[in-house]
Amino acid sequence: MLEIDHLRVEYSGKPAVADVSLAVPDGTVVCIVGPSGSGKSTLLRAVAGLEPPTSGTIRWDDRDLAGVPTHRRRFGLMFQDHALFPHRDVLGNVAFGLRMSRLSAGDAEARAREALASVGLEGFEHRKVRELSGGEQQRVALARSIAPKPRLLMLDEPLGSLDRALRERLVVDLHALFRSTAITALFVTHDQDEAFALADSVVILHRGLVEQEGDPQQVWRRPRTEFAARFLGFSNVLDARRVDGVVRCALGPVPAPDDSASGALRVAIRPDGLRVADAGNITGEVVGCTFRRDHFLTRIATPHGTFEVATAEPAAMGAHLSVALDPAAAVVLPAHADR
């Protein structure tokens, strides 16, 4: 089990990771998401032993890893740049690290073939890497990472250079691989779809701090802070108040969580939680409309702010539309939620 306790990593006196504590239990996949500059990759590099912590501890099975070099941590690393050897065939690329660890030639080849089979590349052993597609090269890099049977697999934006369709296929394959091997993994990605498809637990980083962590469904449906809500697509955020057990905002009443305090609050709603209605609570002018594959994102300027609404059809610029709220889609946040 990996345990990170109050980790801080500074560059030139400025924190890239300010204060992070989290655990990765054996056999689980923890995905770290957050905007650029939030500390995701720095955190991974510190766990790998590539960046020295300024303070805090990193432990594996209660053993402090301070002073343990990267090659002795028995952690596997996979990055967006897979850095395969062009002069070696597929089998040679996967077996290279095993041979460097002084495994016999026969055992290294057997282990490499097993890893290639696990990522769906059985029969590719003697192909040249330059003859492979981007997705196939990424599978080779993954096989190379898992061949030594690391006790922790760390992946930093491993699918970031691939096109969307290929990424979506590989996410399915990764999910199946992680579940079939019960591997312990720490996965960094900017792609929320990847994270929520693969993770047993999702961690949102913001300014080097853990903004929220937990079960993927719970995090997705119920962010706890305004930053987390906006990051996860709750683009409509407005003031609210709880009075006599009811939370009210300009769009109407919403269910009050048991732990919400009386007084000033905030309410967050995704665009698909709003709809255009004949008798909505707010009327405004259409100031933008963008096609988003399965819907149109329509921006409506009102006296209470500009709202983003998911509509089935495009709306004419300048048209006046009323907006209604689905109360079940609203999330109530503390007024001071954002840092």
Side-chain angles (χ1 to χ4, degrees):
M1 177 175 176
L2 175 71
E3 294 176 282
I4 301 170
D5 188 30
H6 294 292
L7 186 70
R8 184 180 181 89
V9 181
E10 295 180 353
Y11 296 131
S12 301
K14 296 182 179 180
V17 174
D19 185 0
V20 169
S21 297
L22 62 90
V24 184
D26 294 342
T28 64
V29 178
V30 173
C31 286
I32 301 174
V33 295
S36 297
S38 60
K40 304 186 300 295
S41 293
T42 301
L43 174 61
L44 207 68
R45 290 175 61 83
V47 172
L50 299 172
E51 295 290 348
T54 305
S55 60
T57 58
I58 302 169
R59 297 187 299 274
W60 182 268
D61 288 345
D62 293 326
R63 181 192 175 190
D64 192 340
L65 296 180
V68 179
T70 300
H71 67 282
R72 295 193 181 278
R73 296 193 179 196
R74 293 173 50 208
F75 295 167
L77 297 170
M78 182 179 174
F79 299 101
Q80 181 175 330
D81 179 6
H82 31 263
L84 301 176
F85 298 119
H87 61 286
R88 296 179 182 272
D89 62 13
V90 168
L91 186 65
N93 267 276
V94 178
F96 178 79
L98 299 170
R99 295 288 289 129
M100 291 298 97
S101 64
R102 299 183 179 179
L103 211 61
S104 70
D107 288 344
E109 179 174 334
R111 187 85 67 84
R113 288 181 180 275
E114 177 186 351
L116 286 167
S118 70
V119 298
L121 289 182
E122 194 171 13
F124 281 67
E125 289 84 357
H126 300 297
R127 294 272 297 274
K128 299 296 183 183
V129 294
R130 63 176 177 271
E131 300 172 353
L132 304 179
S133 69
E136 289 166 345
Q137 290 185 19
Q138 207 71 350
R139 289 172 189 266
V140 175
L142 179 59
R144 183 178 59 187
S145 299
I146 65 176
K149 299 185 177 179
R151 52 188 183 177
L152 174 70
L153 178 62
M154 295 184 294
L155 307 99
D156 190 0
E157 303 280 7
L159 310 181
S161 62
L162 305 177
D163 63 74
R164 174 174 291 275
L166 184 53
R167 287 204 312 270
E168 290 175 352
R169 290 202 301 272
L170 288 179
V171 164
V172 174
D173 294 339
L174 280 173
H175 183 272
L177 176 66
F178 290 164
R179 296 306 180 267
S180 65
T181 59
I183 200 164
T184 306
L186 191 59
F187 192 109
V188 163
T189 179
H190 70 279
D191 189 308
Q192 295 179 23
D193 290 340
E194 287 178 20
F196 285 92
L198 293 171
D200 296 299
S201 179
V202 169
V203 176
I204 300 175
L205 280 193
H206 177 43
R207 298 176 183 169
L209 299 166
V210 175
E211 189 78 16
Q212 186 169 346
E213 64 177 308
D215 174 80
Q217 293 188 41
Q218 185 66 21
V219 171
W220 180 255
R221 294 171 179 170
R222 288 291 179 263
R224 292 198 300 261
T225 70
E226 185 170 330
F227 172 83
R230 290 186 182 276
F231 180 74
L232 295 174
F234 289 79
S235 55
N236 302 298
V237 181
L238 62 161
D239 292 330
R241 294 190 68 84
R242 177 171 176 163
V243 180
D244 297 330
V246 178
V247 175
R248 298 187 180 277
C249 66
L251 289 167
V254 300
D258 293 338
D259 58 353
S260 63
S262 296
L265 296 166
R266 299 276 270 172
V267 168
I269 314 106
R270 287 193 173 99
D272 60 4
L274 300 179
R275 71 182 190 279
V276 173
D278 292 335
N281 289 64
I282 293 180
T283 299
E285 179 182 350
V286 175
V287 294
C289 187
T290 308
F291 180 58
R292 293 293 182 88
R293 293 198 297 175
D294 59 350
H295 68 277
F296 289 87
L297 188 66
T298 302
R299 301 180 71 244
I300 302 175
T302 79
H304 297 276
T306 299
F307 295 97
E308 294 185 342
V309 184
T311 59
E313 300 295 334
M317 292 290 291
H320 284 78
L321 300 175
S322 291
V323 179
L325 164 71
D326 174 5
V331 172
V332 177
L333 305 169
H336 61 279
D338 199 19
R339 281 197 264 267

